Amino acid sequence: MAGSAHGHTPAAWTGVIISFIGFCIAGVFMVAANQPGFWAGMGVVLLGGVIGLAMKVAGLGMPKESEAVVAARDAATAKLRA
């Protein structure tokens, strides 16, 4: 996975950062035994996923590879292994 730059996009970073903030909010309110605050934090976690997906759809995520690129990579890998 290290060679594919998986997740190194603005959409991925934004979604993860927002979800992490929501996780921290939920954790604080869970320790404080405050259910509405906990669920608000969980809502922020879900919001992070929605925002990340929306940014990906808007073109800020990893582009999908074409069949030609996948075939060329598989052929090159097969040559190296042979």
Side-chain angles (χ1 to χ4, degrees):
M1 275 291 180
S4 67
H6 177 74
H8 296 283
T9 64
W13 279 102
T14 303
V16 168
I17 289 170
I18 293 171
S19 295
F20 179 71
I21 291 169
F23 175 78
C24 292
I25 292 169
V28 167
F29 282 110
M30 183 170 45
V31 171
N34 183 328
Q35 281 190 351
F38 168 78
W39 288 111
M42 293 305 291
V44 174
V45 170
L46 292 175
L47 182 66
V50 170
I51 290 174
L53 182 61
M55 289 178 70
K56 179 179 178 185
V57 169
L60 296 171
M62 291 288 290
K64 294 190 180 215
E65 294 179 328
S66 67
E67 293 294 326
V69 171
V70 172
R73 182 177 54 236
D74 291 343
T77 303
K79 270 187 187 178
L80 289 175
R81 290 184 182 165

